């Protein structure tokens, strides 16, 4: 089963119709995450904790009605909750193996034996208790590093690797409603000083295809004195793009 972390929670109720329904939205997210080189475990549910628990155990499932939550959560083992070892051992000692085993027991007995924490967790997953989450605040600037599986000496291979970082930059800029007027790709070497490539744009953009095209030109003009072991992409010169710019210049902002 997948490790419990890292996880990303998205509030998508207001976006379901825009993306053509739950299945289309999930497919869009999966394609986007896969394009960045990650393997997503994705689930959709009426409560954030339920969606997280189902994804943690590798279940790709859509639960729309809150009344359906218990039947989907009941078969899950306690590993999905990341409980302390002492609590996990006590549950197993009582012959309990799944969340459903707990849900069938009297609540008062669970509280006496394990405290309110376990019961409150189950109630948050089922939507019986509120589960507010701190919203994500994106950083003011972009920085992402990629370790290469082997040292690289050709510009084409570097551009292939940089494509992932540039896609991340595009997503970051779209979320902020911004573009960049310049960005930097730093080539890190096992020995010696890094090579820094500054790329300037005639007009602000966030389109990955345009940024990659400019980066290709810059790489082809840069002699590599040493093989490259890692890449670092940074973008700090952000420019807000107006709605009019986005409508008129959708691919060339």
């Amino acid at each position: 089963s997948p490790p419990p972390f890292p996880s990303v929670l998205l509030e998508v109720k207001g976006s379901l119709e825009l993306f053509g329904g739950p299945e289309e939205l999930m497919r869009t997210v999966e394609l986007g995450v896969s394009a960045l080189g990650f393997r997503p475990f994705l689930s959709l549910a009426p409560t954030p904790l339920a969606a997280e628990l189902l994804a943690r155990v590798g279940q790709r499932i859509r639960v729309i009605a809150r009344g359906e939550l218990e039947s989907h959560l009941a078969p899950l083992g306690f590993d999905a909750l990341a409980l302390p070892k002492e609590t996990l051992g006590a549950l197993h000692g009582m012959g309990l193996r799944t969340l459903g085993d707990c849900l069938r027991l009297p609540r008062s007995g669970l509280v006496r034996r394990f405290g309110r924490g376990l019961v409150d967790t189950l109630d948050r997953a089922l939507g019986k208790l509120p589960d507010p989450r701190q919203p994500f605040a994106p950083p003011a600037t972009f920085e992402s590093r990629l370790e290469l599986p082997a040292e690289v000496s050709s510009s084409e291979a570097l551009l292939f690797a940089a494509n992932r970082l540039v896609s991340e930059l595009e997503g970051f800029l779209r979320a902020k409603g911004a573009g960049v007027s310049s960005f930097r790709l730093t080539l890190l070497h096992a020995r010696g000083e890094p090579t820094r490539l500054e790329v300037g744009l005639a007009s602000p953009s966030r389109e990955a295809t345009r940024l990659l095209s400019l980066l290709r030109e810059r790489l082809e003009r840069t002699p590599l004195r040493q093989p490259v072991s890692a890449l670092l992409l940074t973008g700090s010169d952000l420019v807000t793009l107006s709605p009019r710019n986005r409508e008129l210049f959708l691919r060339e902002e």
Side-chain angles (χ1 to χ4, degrees):
S1 62
F5 297 104
S7 61
V8 177
L9 287 168
L10 305 176
E11 200 293 305
V12 299
K13 183 177 181 180
S15 304
L16 294 179
E17 187 173 337
L18 175 65
F19 282 87
E23 184 59 36
E24 280 301 309
L25 175 59
M26 292 177 70
R27 194 172 72 87
T28 299
V29 173
E30 285 172 327
L31 290 173
V33 174
S34 298
L36 295 175
F38 300 101
R39 180 188 176 192
F41 295 88
L42 196 67
S43 289
L44 185 147
T47 68
L49 183 54
E52 196 170 9
L53 294 177
L54 292 168
R56 283 182 185 180
V57 297
Q59 292 195 25
R60 188 196 188 282
I61 193 168
R62 293 183 291 116
V63 185
I64 304 301
R66 186 171 298 180
E68 300 174 357
L69 279 174
E70 185 168 339
S71 63
H72 288 288
L73 293 174
L76 302 187
F78 295 116
D79 289 345
L81 293 178
L83 296 171
K85 289 183 178 180
E86 296 78 11
T87 302
L88 191 59
L91 289 167
H92 288 167
M94 295 173 61
L96 306 177
R97 293 292 184 270
T98 67
L99 303 190
D101 292 339
C102 278
L103 294 171
R104 285 188 288 270
L105 294 177
R107 293 168 59 87
S108 58
L110 282 176
V111 173
R112 284 196 304 271
R113 183 66 178 83
F114 301 104
R116 294 266 354 150
L118 177 60
V119 173
D120 286 350
T121 297
L122 294 173
D123 283 347
R124 285 195 299 272
L126 293 171
K128 297 178 180 179
L129 281 179
D131 190 10
R133 302 297 180 104
Q134 188 70 25
F136 171 72
T141 60
F142 176 86
E143 180 175 294
S144 185
R145 175 170 173 150
L146 177 64
E147 300 289 338
L148 301 178
E151 291 186 325
V152 169
S153 299
S154 74
S155 60
E156 281 301 319
L158 287 174
L159 192 69
F160 179 82
N163 179 63
R164 171 173 162 178
L165 297 178
V166 173
S167 295
E168 290 181 16
L169 174 59
E170 180 185 39
F172 171 84
L173 293 170
R174 288 192 177 279
K176 295 184 75 70
V180 287
S181 57
S182 67
F183 63 96
R184 174 192 294 172
L185 180 69
T186 302
L187 313 179
L188 302 172
H189 312 286
R191 295 164 298 280
E193 293 296 315
T195 303
R196 295 179 175 86
L197 308 181
E198 302 284 350
V199 180
L201 288 77
S203 59
S205 177
R206 62 176 172 227
E207 296 298 328
T209 52
R210 182 179 177 192
L211 301 181
L212 276 172
S213 177
L214 294 171
L215 184 57
R216 176 190 295 275
E217 295 176 8
R218 189 71 173 83
L219 277 169
E220 290 175 348
R221 298 198 309 266
T222 303
L224 292 177
R225 297 183 298 274
Q226 297 183 54
V228 178
S229 58
L231 303 176
L232 178 66
L233 187 68
T234 55
S236 57
D237 195 5
L238 273 58
V239 179
T240 300
L241 297 178
S242 70
R244 183 178 180 182
N245 283 344
R246 288 198 295 269
E247 292 169 3
L248 294 180
F249 305 104
L250 184 60
R251 302 308 300 177
E252 291 291 334
E253 296 168 337

